[in-house]
């Protein structure tokens, strides 16, 4: 199955807070439980936003992912030296902060019967969803503007 066939057969969309997925099996009970019973709670609490890949004809969900805002900070590194190396090669002095906004893939599930066919497509969609939500990548991977960051012209 190629990308064009996936795009004409399936639709990627954001789940509403009132929506519940009726059936999904990726082989992992925790991931299944999240999309079937918990994803709307995370959305209501503004903790994560879930997206589903659905068949356009029968609305069957074949994959999903959830994204959340996060941060990269000193506590994520073994020591201050490692954190400083990370900052030195990515940010000019004026933008060297104690933490940086980041996007986190909280959950990712692909239905067992579709796994090999659409896994790479889902990975691309996650990347492009962050670009769509923010307007550009990677200067500001969150929904809040960072002082001094401007979208490329």
């Amino acid at each position: 199955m190629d990308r064009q066939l996936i795009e004409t057969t399936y639709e990627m969309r954001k789940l509403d807070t009132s929506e519940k997925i009726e059936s999904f099996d990726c082989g992992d009970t925790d991931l299944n439980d999240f999309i079937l019973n918990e994803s709307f709670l995370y959305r209501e609490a503004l903790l994560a936003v879930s997206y589903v890949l659905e068949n356009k004809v029968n609305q069957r969900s074949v994959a999903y992912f959830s994204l959340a805002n996060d941060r990269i900070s000193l506590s994520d590194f073994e020591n201050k030296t490692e954190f400083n190396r990370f900052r030195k090669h990515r940010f000019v002095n004026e933008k060297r902060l104690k933490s940086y906004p980041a996007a986190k893939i909280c959950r990712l599930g692909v239905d067992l019967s579709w796994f090999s066919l659409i896994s790479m497509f889902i990975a691309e969609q996650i990347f492009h969803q962050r670009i769509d939500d923010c307007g550009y990548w990677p200067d500001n991977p969150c929904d809040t503007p960072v002082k001094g960051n401007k979208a490329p012209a």
Side-chain angles (χ1 to χ4, degrees):
M1 183 177 283
D2 67 354
R3 181 179 178 77
Q4 186 175 16
L5 182 58
I6 291 172
E7 289 178 345
T8 57
T9 309
Y10 297 93
E11 175 185 33
M12 180 69 66
R13 65 180 186 80
K14 188 185 300 188
L15 280 177
D16 276 340
T17 53
S18 61
E19 259 186 295
K20 286 185 85 173
I21 300 297
E22 299 298 322
S23 172
F24 186 81
D25 183 16
C26 67
D28 183 300
T29 53
D30 288 337
L31 290 174
N32 292 340
D33 184 56
F34 179 80
I35 195 63
L36 296 173
N37 302 308
E38 298 173 8
S39 64
F40 69 96
L41 298 171
Y42 279 68
R43 178 74 187 272
E44 285 176 352
L46 303 175
L47 295 174
V49 177
S50 296
Y51 299 83
V52 292
L53 183 66
E54 286 183 332
N55 184 298
K56 289 180 181 178
V57 176
N58 64 14
Q59 280 73 44
R60 180 169 181 224
S61 299
V62 296
Y64 83 92
F65 61 90
S66 295
L67 299 177
N69 290 324
D70 200 356
R71 69 180 184 155
I72 299 171
S73 66
L74 178 59
S75 63
D76 295 323
F77 294 83
E78 286 185 33
N79 56 52
K80 192 173 182 177
T81 303
E82 291 298 318
F83 182 62
N84 286 332
R85 283 187 191 139
F86 163 78
R87 295 189 311 171
K88 182 178 181 181
H89 298 291
R90 289 170 178 81
F91 303 100
V92 294
N93 265 344
E94 300 82 43
K95 293 187 181 182
R96 291 193 188 155
L97 309 171
K98 292 183 181 186
S99 66
Y100 298 91
K104 181 189 332 188
I105 302 169
C106 303
R107 307 277 194 302
L108 170 62
V110 178
D111 190 282
L112 288 172
S113 58
W114 299 95
F115 185 79
S116 63
L117 299 174
I118 60 173
S119 296
M120 183 54 93
F121 179 78
I122 293 298
E124 291 174 8
Q125 292 302 306
I126 292 170
F127 177 77
H128 291 292
Q129 190 61 50
R130 289 310 293 170
I131 292 172
D132 291 346
D133 287 350
C134 300
Y136 55 97
W137 185 278
D139 289 340
N140 186 8
C142 66
D143 297 329
T144 310
V146 176
K147 184 179 178 185
N149 278 359
K150 294 182 180 164

